[in-house]
Amino acid sequence: MSKVVFMTGATGNIGAKLVSAILAGDDSCRLILLVRANSAEHARARVKSSVTVVSPEFPFDRYSRRISVLPGDITHDDLGFSGSLYNEVASQVTDIIHSAAATGFLLPVEAARRINLGGTINVMNLARKAADKGQLRGVAHVSTAFVNTGNGRPIGEEDFLVRRDFLHGYDQTKWEAERYIRSAMSWLPVTVFRPSVIVGDSNTGCTSAFNVLYTPLRLICHGQIDTLPAEPEVRLDVVPSDYVADAIHHIFIRKGKCSGRTFHITAGGDKSLTIGQIIDGTLNLAAKYYPRSCANGVRFVAPSLFDAAFGGGGNGNNRIFRMIKVFEPYMTRQMIFDDSGTRAALHGSKIAVKSLSEYFETIVRHCFDTRWGKQVRRAA
């Protein structure tokens, strides 16, 4: 085995897709996966379950000899490993992919910071030790395109803007983590990958994370909200999980030599849909599943009107109000991400992002068929 890849976040939506992409695409790779669990058996079962959910056809057991799964925790010193195990891992790894993160938009900032910033620092400490031992080739940090926000102005891949207008705790702590990562580029071979809004597999719809875009769509389909603080003409940049995983795998593992660079894994305006198109498409597909709750459609209002109608602290809609408010910036600000560096790096690979219109029905029908993930979680 010429490559030993240490990875965090293997039970997440992107991490699990990366596991299958790397194992199927590179016979020379062995994976060491850090997983929060109370035993090695529990950790391995979590990985297998997660990979099976996002890639049901992937023959996990066929590749089991190339996978080592270690129980640990990125928020702990030495990742929760014993001293001897920590040194052993550091001496073996050639590449590190850090994709673990707390992704809940309503999570308090301090709780998100402990994982997204503190965990990143701990993983980079392992990277430094591996570099000291002379084996490390590269470190991939999975950030988010929304570390930068704008309103119609294209954002470059190397841009890293001073921020004060954070959207929520996830947004803030991922920005803090990338700020740390960018400072580490002077002493570590780090590559940053910034996906935009991630949804399920473009071919199957399969996902383990029914959040972000899925949340308002679910509330609409269940009749829990019929008004959104949104500009219907704003285009939302959405990418499927298979494109994200394939792009990271190709650029970081197959090509390499990308240290010090940042890549936007985004769709662009020509392959995005507007908020209005996304909502209308969902309602049309939901008509036979939720005929009563979707009967009156959805209206779009200014944020101030939405706040006045739903923002009262004493009513039963307050939790739903908070759930919708965290998505308001995505529905009211036009964010444009330049991905020319990513497209150049993928040139000749046949890896390209699809237009959301090509697979949107697949994504939404998977939500309906799995009852918005309930059947997925039960099976897992």
Side-chain angles (χ1 to χ4, degrees), residues 115-281:
I115 298 169
N116 293 340
L117 177 58
T120 296
I121 292 172
N122 288 336
V123 173
M124 292 310 113
N125 286 340
L126 174 70
R128 184 195 288 266
K129 189 151 187 100
D132 289 343
K133 291 179 178 293
Q135 297 291 323
L136 189 69
R137 301 176 185 178
V139 180
H141 174 71
V142 182
S143 183
T144 170
F146 298 99
V147 293
N148 294 314
T149 61
N151 202 354
R153 185 185 68 81
I155 297 169
E157 289 175 300
E158 298 302 332
D159 288 350
F160 187 66
L161 307 179
V162 175
R163 292 284 303 279
R164 294 182 181 85
D165 60 335
F166 295 108
L167 309 181
H168 34 64
Y170 170 76
D171 172 54
Q172 178 173 344
T173 57
K174 289 295 283 185
W175 181 88
E176 293 170 352
E178 187 170 321
R179 179 178 59 182
Y180 172 80
I181 283 291
R182 298 181 85 79
S183 72
M185 285 179 172
S186 63
W187 44 271
L188 280 175
V190 179
T191 305
V192 175
F193 292 96
R194 293 178 180 162
S196 57
V197 175
I198 302 172
V199 293
D201 187 285
S202 63
N203 300 299
T204 65
C206 291
T207 180
S208 62
F210 291 81
N211 52 16
V212 191
L213 177 61
Y214 296 94
T215 300
L217 298 186
R218 175 174 54 82
L219 293 174
I220 290 167
C221 288
H222 287 172
Q224 294 176 279
I225 191 77
D226 61 4
T227 305
L228 290 176
E231 295 287 345
E233 298 307 313
V234 165
R235 290 185 175 273
L236 183 65
D237 198 296
V238 174
V239 285
S241 58
D242 50 310
Y243 173 65
V244 177
D246 289 345
I248 294 174
H249 171 225
H250 180 80
I251 295 171
F252 182 69
I253 297 294
R254 283 187 171 171
K255 291 189 69 173
K257 298 181 180 179
C258 52
S259 300
R261 297 187 61 189
T262 301
F263 296 92
H264 276 159
I265 307 182
T266 52
D270 60 328
K271 295 189 177 181
S272 300
L273 294 176
T274 67
I275 298 298
Q277 290 171 327
I278 290 171
I279 300 302
D280 288 346

Side-chain angles (χ1 to χ4, degrees), residues 8-30:
T8 70
T11 58
N13 197 37
I14 295 306
K17 291 294 288 186
L18 273 167
V19 168
S20 59
I22 293 171
L23 290 175
D26 288 277
D27 292 338
S28 64
C29 278
R30 179 166 68 87

Side-chain angles (χ1 to χ4, degrees), residues 37-53:
N38 52 30
S39 68
E41 293 76 16
H42 180 211
R44 193 173 192 85
R46 286 195 65 203
V47 172
K48 181 176 180 178
S49 174
S50 299
V51 173
T52 301
V53 164

